[in-house]
Amino acid sequence: MSLQDFLQFVFAGITSGSVYALTALGFTLIYNATGIINFAQGEFVMLGGLAAVSLHSGGAPLALAAIGAVAVVTVVGLLFELLAIRPLLNASVLAQIIVTVGASLALRTAAMLIWGREAVALPAFTEGAPLSVFGATVVPQTVWVLGVTALIVIALQVFYRRTLLGKAVRACAVNPMAARLLGIPYGRVVLLTFGASAAVAAAGGVLITPISFMSYSSGALIGLKGFAAAILGGLGSPAGAVAGGLALGLLESLSVGLLPWSGASGYKDAIAFLILLLVLFARPQGLLGQVSAQKV
Amino acid sequence: MPRFGQGERAGSATGEAVKAGEVGPGGWERRGRGRAWSWARGNLAFLLFSLVALTVPLYLTNSYYLSILAFFAIRLMPTIGLNLLLGQAGQISLGHAAFIGLGAYGSALLTTRWGLDPWAAVFLAALLSALVAVLIGVPALRLKGHYLAMATLGFGEIVLILLVQLKGLTGGTDGVVSIPPLELGGWSLADPRLFHVVVWSAALIMLRMALNLPRTRTGRALIALHRTEIAASSLGIDVAFHKLQVFVVSAIFASIAGSFLAHYVMFISPEGFGVTLSVLLVAGAVIGGLATVWGAVWGAGLMVLLPEVLARYNEDYTLLVFGLLVIVVMIFLPEGLAGAPARLLGLRRTLPDTVARRSQGEPVEDRGSECRS
Amino acid sequence: MPVLRVEGVTRRFGGVTAVKEVSFQVHEAQIKALIGPNGAGKTTLFNLVSAIDRPDDGRILFRNPIRTGDAQIDLARTSPHRASRAGIGRTFQHSQIFEELSVLDNVKVGRHAHGRAGLFSAFLTLPRQRREEAAAEEAARRALQRAGLGDKTEIEADSLPLGERHLLEIARALATEPGLLLLDEPAAGLNNEETERLAETVRRIRDDGVTVLLVEHDMGFVMEVSDEVVVLDYGEKIAEGSPLMIRSNPEVIRAYLGEDYLAEEEPR
């Protein structure tokens, strides 16, 4: 493979990897605050993309449509927390899994009823000829994806490290009991976290929709890949989520490019899941933290 | 106070019979009657249900309604398996559609490509599914909670991708056509009434077996490891083995359902065996109720009947309703539909929210629980 | 011939050494207590002996005295269910009963390793299944009698008061027919009357030939029932001997009894 081809796959990889990273970040935010894995995370991505398409075709300028879509999905995330998660915050892990799985089914079907089965796309954020980097073409949207993803990551870092509320959220993640004793309003922290997580996911959806088409059923795949990215980077670590997302995107893209086999692209999705299973199976205890035996 | 519904109390017949046998002279006769009585009482629900299910073709000849009932039985099989896996053992699988797919494709390919007898194909496909279940179950069942859910979800996706991509073998998105129907003693089960009796017999056998489980050594082991794996293993229970065993059984039930489906509709394509079906099955099992095996009947019935009812308006609403119902049931009716009548009549002395309580696993390691309380 | 030989056992968690080169023996039909201040490594050691956790170093040799002919096994290299089958029974500090089962069914779970009827027998209710079920029930009732819960068989386990939950765990462990019974803080949360009943039960179990190793904070209880005491402090064994010797051991008093024991002795 030539350098040009290689770079082409690298750019494709980090572009989709950015969306995985944002999805993984969404998982991480919620997991850190509540210990819940939100199986509806991918649906937020899908909703973001589809809402932006609707707003844009309804006449809103692209920038407004993007912001509006993120706002709409944020509200969905907040409602999801209030209606479905809040009553089960103390329930078993199994109950929480089932509820978020149910929510993903409901959101996906609602999206189908609203937007139909057709896959749709947004126009690119900016017009312009593709750039050429060592012979590889880079569409301007790629720059947008990378730039906005980097901005979101930085903004989250600042929020969690510098603001009081962000520190409160982190305190709750590190030591929930102590946080509660310090009077941190846990309910509000969780609500905020679901809103933020939905917003981040929706942003990912808006960013990717000009590059790859979005349909009601796209969320499941993106969600699973986002989770794979989060696991790859070590669940619970925001930096790991970003690294895991980019790594997964690259692995996916390059394995398609490097496998000497024309049918390989059909198996692109399977590669992400294979990685997920391998990581899960290879170090289940490492991923679960300490062995439960010590906590008898 | 029966926590597990009437059916499962069947197993207690032995215990009561022993007691009845102890009563002094004339014990034999009384023992005989006591055993018969408690047997009948424990089995009444099952006998009635079987009777109704198997005699339907006598008075119902409308082939459309018969086909709905056939799909009911086909849905019931994997739901029973998930009920055992999720309700008794506390292990989730979001990849069970893959086993239905393996059963369906196994049956379809073995008969159309290699000309095997359909029944042999059903058997071999189930064997294949069991093998796959062992291969995926050994590593996956070491995982807990979310990780197990994600691993099974990933497994399901991989199987689906293989079904689509291995075009040379599976026909890709075109699927497999002209799958031969099952036969029994020279009679083709293409006849809907005959098929009804056979498919319901199979489903009822699975139901009977599942109903027998809770009050046995293996059933108690599953309930024990669901509650706390550490205590269960300290009592001599091989936790990994028992989890794997029930996972394999649920895979076999799903596979047989897939085989019946393939031989019944005679055409299969991959899209029906994706995540949506896996999720729907879990949703059905939960909505029906995990506290009793009868929940599977409620859940499967709802899965088949709801689309029919909604079809008058828009069938696409089905999954939306299912998604919302799961949330509502989890929050307000943890025992599911099967527990609803007793709950509404106020027969339960407490609200033993089963999934919520039973599936705690190791309650102490649930991080952040203090904060959430 | 000792029932249990703990030999140079060490367990580290990250940088913390929870148990450091601990050695002691437990002899047949003896009640041995493991005491020490909080964080001394008692529960860690218990988890090692019941094979729920594995030591980084050392051996834990066990020979079941009530099943002659059984070979000696190293509990440091086995799994919990194998340890149970070899004759280790245990209870837990935090109640680990199966709340959705009746008292009797909880104890029947303890008969698991004594049955062989598998999934098929269960599915098909084969004669073997029925036979074993009846046998398990009888054995479970006996175990409940031994633990003093003979009159509570049919009630739901989650309606038992705390004191009887401990007894239920003991009954459940006894149902496995252990050669060595590990009791993790059996007297925690019990009132005087319940503690007295527990002490009687434990002694009766010992008199039946079951060796007992227990962790306990209630010094009155420990001094009353134990034949021998091992004292741990910061993961190390600092003393071992009869309750009388332990009472007067200056190092033990300094490490532990100084605060707790003297305070506890008064009301008894």
Side-chain angles (χ1 to χ4, degrees), chain A residues 34-35 89-90 92 102 106 109 117 172-173 176 180 186 227 267 277 284 287-288 292 295, chain B residues 143 146-147 150-151 165-166 316 319-320 323 355-356 359 364-365 367-368 370-373:
Chain A
T34 64
L89 269 182
N90 291 313
S92 69
T109 318
R117 294 165 196 269
C172 219
R180 214 160 72 104
Y186 185 64
F227 180 78
Y267 292 93
L277 291 188
L287 296 166
L288 284 167
S292 51
K295 306 206 176 164
Chain B
L143 306 169
H146 301 116
Y147 296 90
M150 281 294 185
Q165 295 298 329
L166 294 173
D316 291 342
L319 294 177
L320 178 64
V355 176
S359 49
V364 256
E365 79 185 343
R367 58 167 315 205
E370 299 92 336
C371 200
R372 272 176 270 152
S373 57

mmCIF file of all heavy atoms in Angstrom, chain A residues 34-35 89-90 92 102 106 109 117 172-173 176 180 186 227 267 277 284 287-288 292 295, chain B residues 143 146-147 150-151 165-166 316 319-320 323 355-356 359 364-365 367-368 370-373:
data_model
loop_
_atom_site.group_PDB
_atom_site.id
_atom_site.type_symbol
_atom_site.label_atom_id
_atom_site.label_comp_id
_atom_site.label_asym_id
_atom_site.label_seq_id
_atom_site.Cartn_x
_atom_site.Cartn_y
_atom_site.Cartn_z
ATOM 1 N N THR A 34 -22.709 7.359 37.927
ATOM 2 C CA THR A 34 -23.762 6.480 38.448
ATOM 3 C C THR A 34 -23.424 5.004 38.446
ATOM 4 O O THR A 34 -24.129 4.204 39.043
ATOM 5 C CB THR A 34 -25.041 6.610 37.590
ATOM 6 O OG1 THR A 34 -24.731 6.137 36.263
ATOM 7 C CG2 THR A 34 -25.523 8.036 37.504
ATOM 8 N N GLY A 35 -22.356 4.600 37.759
ATOM 9 C CA GLY A 35 -22.068 3.175 37.634
ATOM 10 C C GLY A 35 -22.956 2.489 36.607
ATOM 11 O O GLY A 35 -22.936 1.273 36.471
ATOM 12 N N LEU A 89 -32.321 4.286 40.353
ATOM 13 C CA LEU A 89 -30.916 4.572 40.686
ATOM 14 C C LEU A 89 -30.375 3.587 41.713
ATOM 15 O O LEU A 89 -29.194 3.284 41.734
ATOM 16 C CB LEU A 89 -30.779 6.005 41.217
ATOM 17 C CG LEU A 89 -30.490 7.072 40.161
ATOM 18 C CD1 LEU A 89 -30.335 8.420 40.815
ATOM 19 C CD2 LEU A 89 -29.226 6.736 39.375
ATOM 20 N N ASN A 90 -31.246 3.089 42.573
ATOM 21 C CA ASN A 90 -30.782 2.161 43.601
ATOM 22 C C ASN A 90 -31.071 0.714 43.259
ATOM 23 O O ASN A 90 -30.824 -0.173 44.059
ATOM 24 C CB ASN A 90 -31.447 2.492 44.935
ATOM 25 C CG ASN A 90 -30.939 3.794 45.474
ATOM 26 O OD1 ASN A 90 -29.737 4.029 45.491
ATOM 27 N ND2 ASN A 90 -31.846 4.654 45.871
ATOM 28 N N SER A 92 -31.012 -2.958 41.005
ATOM 29 C CA SER A 92 -29.905 -3.821 40.631
ATOM 30 C C SER A 92 -29.339 -3.420 39.277
ATOM 31 O O SER A 92 -29.991 -2.734 38.488
ATOM 32 C CB SER A 92 -30.393 -5.257 40.554
ATOM 33 O OG SER A 92 -31.255 -5.387 39.450
ATOM 34 N N GLY A 102 -34.460 -1.014 27.111
ATOM 35 C CA GLY A 102 -35.829 -0.693 26.715
ATOM 36 C C GLY A 102 -35.911 0.702 26.120
ATOM 37 O O GLY A 102 -36.586 0.931 25.111
ATOM 38 N N ALA A 106 -37.208 1.959 22.442
ATOM 39 C CA ALA A 106 -38.265 2.958 22.284
ATOM 40 C C ALA A 106 -37.780 4.136 21.444
ATOM 41 O O ALA A 106 -38.477 4.594 20.531
ATOM 42 C CB ALA A 106 -38.741 3.434 23.656
ATOM 43 N N THR A 109 -37.364 3.165 17.739
ATOM 44 C CA THR A 109 -38.632 3.023 17.036
ATOM 45 C C THR A 109 -39.316 4.377 16.851
ATOM 46 O O THR A 109 -39.898 4.651 15.802
ATOM 47 C CB THR A 109 -39.560 2.066 17.801
ATOM 48 O OG1 THR A 109 -38.780 0.970 18.267
ATOM 49 C CG2 THR A 109 -40.669 1.560 16.911
ATOM 50 N N ARG A 117 -37.632 5.223 7.377
ATOM 51 C CA ARG A 117 -36.522 4.280 7.320
ATOM 52 C C ARG A 117 -35.369 4.745 6.458
ATOM 53 O O ARG A 117 -34.311 4.131 6.437
ATOM 54 C CB ARG A 117 -37.024 2.935 6.780
ATOM 55 C CG ARG A 117 -38.000 2.235 7.703
ATOM 56 C CD ARG A 117 -38.735 1.115 6.980
ATOM 57 N NE ARG A 117 -39.907 0.692 7.722
ATOM 58 C CZ ARG A 117 -39.899 -0.299 8.628
ATOM 59 N NH1 ARG A 117 -38.793 -0.964 8.846
ATOM 60 N NH2 ARG A 117 -40.992 -0.625 9.267
ATOM 61 N N CYS A 172 -18.192 12.720 43.433
ATOM 62 C CA CYS A 172 -19.202 11.682 43.533
ATOM 63 C C CYS A 172 -18.713 10.397 42.892
ATOM 64 O O CYS A 172 -19.028 9.301 43.338
ATOM 65 C CB CYS A 172 -20.491 12.153 42.871
ATOM 66 S SG CYS A 172 -21.931 11.646 43.775
ATOM 67 N N ALA A 173 -17.950 10.534 41.831
ATOM 68 C CA ALA A 173 -17.432 9.357 41.148
ATOM 69 C C ALA A 173 -16.363 8.672 41.987
ATOM 70 O O ALA A 173 -16.319 7.461 42.091
ATOM 71 C CB ALA A 173 -16.865 9.745 39.786
ATOM 72 N N PRO A 176 -18.522 8.272 46.485
ATOM 73 C CA PRO A 176 -19.923 8.701 46.547
ATOM 74 C C PRO A 176 -20.365 9.038 47.963
ATOM 75 O O PRO A 176 -21.046 10.032 48.196
ATOM 76 C CB PRO A 176 -20.684 7.477 46.029
ATOM 77 C CG PRO A 176 -19.697 6.648 45.306
ATOM 78 C CD PRO A 176 -18.370 6.919 45.934
ATOM 79 N N ARG A 180 -21.618 12.655 49.335
ATOM 80 C CA ARG A 180 -22.946 12.900 49.862
ATOM 81 C C ARG A 180 -22.875 13.576 51.236
ATOM 82 O O ARG A 180 -23.653 14.469 51.553
ATOM 83 C CB ARG A 180 -23.711 11.590 49.973
ATOM 84 C CG ARG A 180 -25.192 11.760 49.704
ATOM 85 C CD ARG A 180 -25.798 10.428 49.353
ATOM 86 N NE ARG A 180 -25.875 9.592 50.534
ATOM 87 C CZ ARG A 180 -27.015 9.368 51.186
ATOM 88 N NH1 ARG A 180 -28.131 9.902 50.773
ATOM 89 N NH2 ARG A 180 -27.038 8.599 52.230
ATOM 90 N N TYR A 186 -26.755 14.884 44.880
ATOM 91 C CA TYR A 186 -26.479 13.804 43.963
ATOM 92 C C TYR A 186 -27.480 13.740 42.809
ATOM 93 O O TYR A 186 -27.121 13.532 41.666
ATOM 94 C CB TYR A 186 -26.472 12.471 44.710
ATOM 95 C CG TYR A 186 -26.070 11.329 43.831
ATOM 96 C CD1 TYR A 186 -24.784 11.300 43.284
ATOM 97 C CD2 TYR A 186 -26.955 10.312 43.515
ATOM 98 C CE1 TYR A 186 -24.405 10.276 42.463
ATOM 99 C CE2 TYR A 186 -26.572 9.283 42.690
ATOM 100 C CZ TYR A 186 -25.298 9.265 42.168
ATOM 101 O OH TYR A 186 -24.917 8.249 41.348
ATOM 102 N N PHE A 227 -19.018 1.869 23.019
ATOM 103 C CA PHE A 227 -18.715 1.106 24.228
ATOM 104 C C PHE A 227 -17.404 0.350 24.068
ATOM 105 O O PHE A 227 -16.572 0.315 24.986
ATOM 106 C CB PHE A 227 -19.842 0.130 24.551
ATOM 107 C CG PHE A 227 -19.586 -0.669 25.788
ATOM 108 C CD1 PHE A 227 -19.788 -0.102 27.044
ATOM 109 C CD2 PHE A 227 -19.118 -1.963 25.718
ATOM 110 C CE1 PHE A 227 -19.529 -0.829 28.199
ATOM 111 C CE2 PHE A 227 -18.857 -2.693 26.871
ATOM 112 C CZ PHE A 227 -19.073 -2.122 28.116
ATOM 113 N N TYR A 267 -16.740 -6.869 6.557
ATOM 114 C CA TYR A 267 -16.501 -7.315 7.924
ATOM 115 C C TYR A 267 -16.006 -6.194 8.833
ATOM 116 O O TYR A 267 -15.604 -6.426 9.950
ATOM 117 C CB TYR A 267 -15.483 -8.459 7.935
ATOM 118 C CG TYR A 267 -16.022 -9.716 7.306
ATOM 119 C CD1 TYR A 267 -15.808 -9.987 5.971
ATOM 120 C CD2 TYR A 267 -16.768 -10.621 8.061
ATOM 121 C CE1 TYR A 267 -16.317 -11.129 5.382
ATOM 122 C CE2 TYR A 267 -17.279 -11.765 7.498
ATOM 123 C CZ TYR A 267 -17.052 -12.016 6.143
ATOM 124 O OH TYR A 267 -17.556 -13.147 5.576
ATOM 125 N N LEU A 277 -14.881 -8.045 22.180
ATOM 126 C CA LEU A 277 -14.911 -9.337 22.861
ATOM 127 C C LEU A 277 -13.528 -9.719 23.365
ATOM 128 O O LEU A 277 -13.380 -10.201 24.489
ATOM 129 C CB LEU A 277 -15.440 -10.429 21.919
ATOM 130 C CG LEU A 277 -16.921 -10.347 21.550
ATOM 131 C CD1 LEU A 277 -17.353 -11.589 20.784
ATOM 132 C CD2 LEU A 277 -17.795 -10.178 22.776
ATOM 133 N N PRO A 284 -11.026 -9.598 32.053
ATOM 134 C CA PRO A 284 -12.282 -9.240 32.712
ATOM 135 C C PRO A 284 -12.055 -8.686 34.114
ATOM 136 O O PRO A 284 -12.733 -7.771 34.532
ATOM 137 C CB PRO A 284 -13.050 -10.560 32.763
ATOM 138 C CG PRO A 284 -12.032 -11.616 32.624
ATOM 139 C CD PRO A 284 -10.924 -11.031 31.806
ATOM 140 N N LEU A 287 -10.783 -5.179 34.047
ATOM 141 C CA LEU A 287 -11.830 -4.235 33.678
ATOM 142 C C LEU A 287 -12.834 -4.033 34.789
ATOM 143 O O LEU A 287 -13.453 -2.994 34.893
ATOM 144 C CB LEU A 287 -12.553 -4.725 32.427
ATOM 145 C CG LEU A 287 -11.669 -4.795 31.195
ATOM 146 C CD1 LEU A 287 -12.351 -5.585 30.117
ATOM 147 C CD2 LEU A 287 -11.337 -3.405 30.712
ATOM 148 N N LEU A 288 -12.974 -5.037 35.621
ATOM 149 C CA LEU A 288 -13.954 -4.929 36.689
ATOM 150 C C LEU A 288 -13.344 -4.302 37.931
ATOM 151 O O LEU A 288 -13.980 -4.232 38.965
ATOM 152 C CB LEU A 288 -14.508 -6.299 37.048
ATOM 153 C CG LEU A 288 -15.508 -6.861 36.052
ATOM 154 C CD1 LEU A 288 -15.742 -8.320 36.311
ATOM 155 C CD2 LEU A 288 -16.813 -6.106 36.158
ATOM 156 N N SER A 292 -13.941 -9.469 43.217
ATOM 157 C CA SER A 292 -15.003 -9.286 44.195
ATOM 158 C C SER A 292 -14.714 -10.011 45.507
ATOM 159 O O SER A 292 -15.277 -9.693 46.532
ATOM 160 C CB SER A 292 -16.314 -9.769 43.613
ATOM 161 O OG SER A 292 -16.153 -11.061 43.095
ATOM 162 N N LYS A 295 -14.390 -8.403 48.903
ATOM 163 C CA LYS A 295 -15.453 -7.573 49.468
ATOM 164 C C LYS A 295 -16.526 -8.387 50.156
ATOM 165 O O LYS A 295 -17.641 -7.955 50.291
ATOM 166 C CB LYS A 295 -16.071 -6.732 48.348
ATOM 167 C CG LYS A 295 -15.014 -5.948 47.620
ATOM 168 C CD LYS A 295 -15.595 -4.724 46.998
ATOM 169 C CE LYS A 295 -14.507 -3.896 46.344
ATOM 170 N NZ LYS A 295 -15.052 -2.929 45.439
ATOM 171 N N LEU B 143 -17.932 -12.656 32.938
ATOM 172 C CA LEU B 143 -18.219 -11.223 33.066
ATOM 173 C C LEU B 143 -19.523 -11.030 33.810
ATOM 174 O O LEU B 143 -20.390 -11.884 33.820
ATOM 175 C CB LEU B 143 -18.323 -10.592 31.683
ATOM 176 C CG LEU B 143 -17.134 -10.805 30.758
ATOM 177 C CD1 LEU B 143 -17.479 -10.377 29.351
ATOM 178 C CD2 LEU B 143 -15.930 -10.040 31.277
ATOM 179 N N HIS B 146 -23.140 -5.340 33.140
ATOM 180 C CA HIS B 146 -23.020 -4.605 31.884
ATOM 181 C C HIS B 146 -22.079 -5.277 30.906
ATOM 182 O O HIS B 146 -22.300 -5.264 29.702
ATOM 183 C CB HIS B 146 -22.482 -3.206 32.146
ATOM 184 C CG HIS B 146 -23.338 -2.407 33.058
ATOM 185 N ND1 HIS B 146 -22.922 -1.975 34.275
ATOM 186 C CD2 HIS B 146 -24.602 -1.974 32.906
ATOM 187 C CE1 HIS B 146 -23.890 -1.294 34.848
ATOM 188 N NE2 HIS B 146 -24.921 -1.285 34.043
ATOM 189 N N TYR B 147 -21.012 -5.841 31.438
ATOM 190 C CA TYR B 147 -19.993 -6.416 30.558
ATOM 191 C C TYR B 147 -20.540 -7.643 29.839
ATOM 192 O O TYR B 147 -20.303 -7.836 28.655
ATOM 193 C CB TYR B 147 -18.753 -6.789 31.376
ATOM 194 C CG TYR B 147 -18.082 -5.601 31.993
ATOM 195 C CD1 TYR B 147 -18.437 -5.169 33.252
ATOM 196 C CD2 TYR B 147 -17.114 -4.899 31.289
ATOM 197 C CE1 TYR B 147 -17.836 -4.065 33.821
ATOM 198 C CE2 TYR B 147 -16.497 -3.797 31.846
ATOM 199 C CZ TYR B 147 -16.856 -3.383 33.109
ATOM 200 O OH TYR B 147 -16.261 -2.285 33.665
ATOM 201 N N MET B 150 -22.954 -6.430 27.129
ATOM 202 C CA MET B 150 -22.251 -5.907 25.953
ATOM 203 C C MET B 150 -21.578 -7.038 25.172
ATOM 204 O O MET B 150 -21.570 -7.027 23.935
ATOM 205 C CB MET B 150 -21.202 -4.884 26.375
ATOM 206 C CG MET B 150 -21.789 -3.525 26.682
ATOM 207 S SD MET B 150 -22.489 -2.730 25.204
ATOM 208 C CE MET B 150 -22.953 -1.134 25.880
ATOM 209 N N ALA B 151 -20.999 -7.988 25.892
ATOM 210 C CA ALA B 151 -20.314 -9.086 25.202
ATOM 211 C C ALA B 151 -21.306 -9.896 24.376
ATOM 212 O O ALA B 151 -21.039 -10.242 23.217
ATOM 213 C CB ALA B 151 -19.609 -9.986 26.216
ATOM 214 N N GLN B 165 -22.484 -11.753 5.386
ATOM 215 C CA GLN B 165 -21.273 -11.697 4.570
ATOM 216 C C GLN B 165 -20.838 -13.023 3.972
ATOM 217 O O GLN B 165 -20.188 -13.043 2.929
ATOM 218 C CB GLN B 165 -20.123 -11.106 5.396
ATOM 219 C CG GLN B 165 -20.336 -9.655 5.801
ATOM 220 C CD GLN B 165 -20.441 -8.733 4.597
ATOM 221 O OE1 GLN B 165 -19.838 -8.985 3.556
ATOM 222 N NE2 GLN B 165 -21.225 -7.671 4.726
ATOM 223 N N LEU B 166 -21.147 -14.116 4.641
ATOM 224 C CA LEU B 166 -20.731 -15.415 4.090
ATOM 225 C C LEU B 166 -21.685 -15.804 2.964
ATOM 226 O O LEU B 166 -22.403 -16.806 3.054
ATOM 227 C CB LEU B 166 -20.708 -16.493 5.190
ATOM 228 C CG LEU B 166 -19.665 -16.302 6.299
ATOM 229 C CD1 LEU B 166 -19.877 -17.332 7.405
ATOM 230 C CD2 LEU B 166 -18.252 -16.401 5.754
ATOM 231 N N ASP B 316 -45.772 -0.576 13.171
ATOM 232 C CA ASP B 316 -44.456 -0.076 13.578
ATOM 233 C C ASP B 316 -44.434 0.409 15.021
ATOM 234 O O ASP B 316 -43.369 0.579 15.608
ATOM 235 C CB ASP B 316 -44.027 1.068 12.653
ATOM 236 C CG ASP B 316 -43.736 0.561 11.259
ATOM 237 O OD1 ASP B 316 -43.540 -0.664 11.123
ATOM 238 O OD2 ASP B 316 -43.717 1.367 10.317
ATOM 239 N N LEU B 319 -42.615 -1.962 18.579
ATOM 240 C CA LEU B 319 -41.355 -1.898 19.314
ATOM 241 C C LEU B 319 -41.315 -0.699 20.247
ATOM 242 O O LEU B 319 -40.714 -0.757 21.319
ATOM 243 C CB LEU B 319 -40.172 -1.862 18.344
ATOM 244 C CG LEU B 319 -39.989 -3.139 17.537
ATOM 245 C CD1 LEU B 319 -38.840 -2.990 16.558
ATOM 246 C CD2 LEU B 319 -39.756 -4.325 18.453
ATOM 247 N N LEU B 320 -41.986 0.380 19.835
ATOM 248 C CA LEU B 320 -42.068 1.548 20.714
ATOM 249 C C LEU B 320 -42.810 1.178 21.989
ATOM 250 O O LEU B 320 -42.350 1.451 23.105
ATOM 251 C CB LEU B 320 -42.781 2.696 19.991
ATOM 252 C CG LEU B 320 -42.974 3.975 20.801
ATOM 253 C CD1 LEU B 320 -41.643 4.595 21.151
ATOM 254 C CD2 LEU B 320 -43.839 4.973 20.039
ATOM 255 N N GLY B 323 -40.623 -1.072 24.132
ATOM 256 C CA GLY B 323 -39.577 -0.325 24.822
ATOM 257 C C GLY B 323 -40.125 0.422 26.026
ATOM 258 O O GLY B 323 -39.552 0.387 27.117
ATOM 259 N N VAL B 355 -36.487 -8.722 40.191
ATOM 260 C CA VAL B 355 -35.239 -8.444 39.482
ATOM 261 C C VAL B 355 -34.416 -7.469 40.303
ATOM 262 O O VAL B 355 -33.226 -7.632 40.505
ATOM 263 C CB VAL B 355 -35.505 -7.843 38.098
ATOM 264 C CG1 VAL B 355 -34.196 -7.484 37.434
ATOM 265 C CG2 VAL B 355 -36.259 -8.830 37.257
ATOM 266 N N ALA B 356 -35.122 -6.467 40.796
ATOM 267 C CA ALA B 356 -34.418 -5.442 41.539
ATOM 268 C C ALA B 356 -33.670 -6.049 42.713
ATOM 269 O O ALA B 356 -32.536 -5.702 42.983
ATOM 270 C CB ALA B 356 -35.401 -4.392 42.021
ATOM 271 N N SER B 359 -31.301 -9.774 41.670
ATOM 272 C CA SER B 359 -30.154 -9.795 40.781
ATOM 273 C C SER B 359 -29.025 -8.940 41.309
ATOM 274 O O SER B 359 -28.203 -8.473 40.572
ATOM 275 C CB SER B 359 -30.576 -9.311 39.413
ATOM 276 O OG SER B 359 -31.290 -8.122 39.567
ATOM 277 N N VAL B 364 -22.427 -5.671 47.716
ATOM 278 C CA VAL B 364 -21.447 -4.740 48.272
ATOM 279 C C VAL B 364 -20.580 -4.074 47.222
ATOM 280 O O VAL B 364 -20.125 -2.970 47.412
ATOM 281 C CB VAL B 364 -20.522 -5.453 49.272
ATOM 282 C CG1 VAL B 364 -20.914 -5.081 50.674
ATOM 283 C CG2 VAL B 364 -20.514 -6.928 49.048
ATOM 284 N N GLU B 365 -20.365 -4.765 46.115
ATOM 285 C CA GLU B 365 -19.399 -4.210 45.181
ATOM 286 C C GLU B 365 -20.053 -3.230 44.204
ATOM 287 O O GLU B 365 -19.404 -2.695 43.330
ATOM 288 C CB GLU B 365 -18.684 -5.315 44.424
ATOM 289 C CG GLU B 365 -19.500 -5.889 43.283
ATOM 290 C CD GLU B 365 -18.807 -7.060 42.654
ATOM 291 O OE1 GLU B 365 -17.603 -7.213 42.867
ATOM 292 O OE2 GLU B 365 -19.479 -7.826 41.963
ATOM 293 N N ARG B 367 -20.698 -0.233 42.947
ATOM 294 C CA ARG B 367 -20.060 1.042 43.246
ATOM 295 C C ARG B 367 -21.050 2.200 43.183
ATOM 296 O O ARG B 367 -21.966 2.229 42.398
ATOM 297 C CB ARG B 367 -18.897 1.301 42.290
ATOM 298 C CG ARG B 367 -19.336 1.308 40.851
ATOM 299 C CD ARG B 367 -18.249 1.873 40.023
ATOM 300 N NE ARG B 367 -17.728 3.060 40.684
ATOM 301 C CZ ARG B 367 -17.118 4.037 40.031
ATOM 302 N NH1 ARG B 367 -16.936 3.949 38.769
ATOM 303 N NH2 ARG B 367 -16.690 5.085 40.657
ATOM 304 N N GLY B 368 -20.828 3.116 44.068
ATOM 305 C CA GLY B 368 -21.655 4.307 44.028
ATOM 306 C C GLY B 368 -23.023 4.123 44.642
ATOM 307 O O GLY B 368 -23.829 5.029 44.635
ATOM 308 N N GLU B 370 -23.904 3.897 47.676
ATOM 309 C CA GLU B 370 -24.133 4.760 48.833
ATOM 310 C C GLU B 370 -24.604 6.126 48.355
ATOM 311 O O GLU B 370 -25.512 6.715 48.903
ATOM 312 C CB GLU B 370 -22.846 4.946 49.642
ATOM 313 C CG GLU B 370 -22.274 3.671 50.218
ATOM 314 C CD GLU B 370 -21.266 3.059 49.284
ATOM 315 O OE1 GLU B 370 -21.364 3.353 48.073
ATOM 316 O OE2 GLU B 370 -20.399 2.308 49.745
ATOM 317 N N CYS B 371 -23.941 6.572 47.318
ATOM 318 C CA CYS B 371 -24.247 7.892 46.825
ATOM 319 C C CYS B 371 -25.649 7.939 46.250
ATOM 320 O O CYS B 371 -26.328 8.936 46.331
ATOM 321 C CB CYS B 371 -23.243 8.268 45.744
ATOM 322 S SG CYS B 371 -23.121 10.015 45.441
ATOM 323 N N ARG B 372 -26.038 6.805 45.683
ATOM 324 C CA ARG B 372 -27.329 6.796 45.022
ATOM 325 C C ARG B 372 -28.471 6.618 46.005
ATOM 326 O O ARG B 372 -29.601 6.805 45.661
ATOM 327 C CB ARG B 372 -27.359 5.671 43.979
ATOM 328 C CG ARG B 372 -26.833 6.134 42.642
ATOM 329 C CD ARG B 372 -26.782 5.004 41.682
ATOM 330 N NE ARG B 372 -25.515 4.336 41.756
ATOM 331 C CZ ARG B 372 -25.358 3.061 41.474
ATOM 332 N NH1 ARG B 372 -26.383 2.330 41.141
ATOM 333 N NH2 ARG B 372 -24.185 2.520 41.534
ATOM 334 N N SER B 373 -28.152 6.182 47.196
ATOM 335 C CA SER B 373 -29.257 5.917 48.113
ATOM 336 C C SER B 373 -29.785 7.204 48.705
ATOM 337 O O SER B 373 -29.121 8.213 48.726
ATOM 338 C CB SER B 373 -28.807 4.974 49.214
ATOM 339 O OG SER B 373 -27.703 5.512 49.886
#
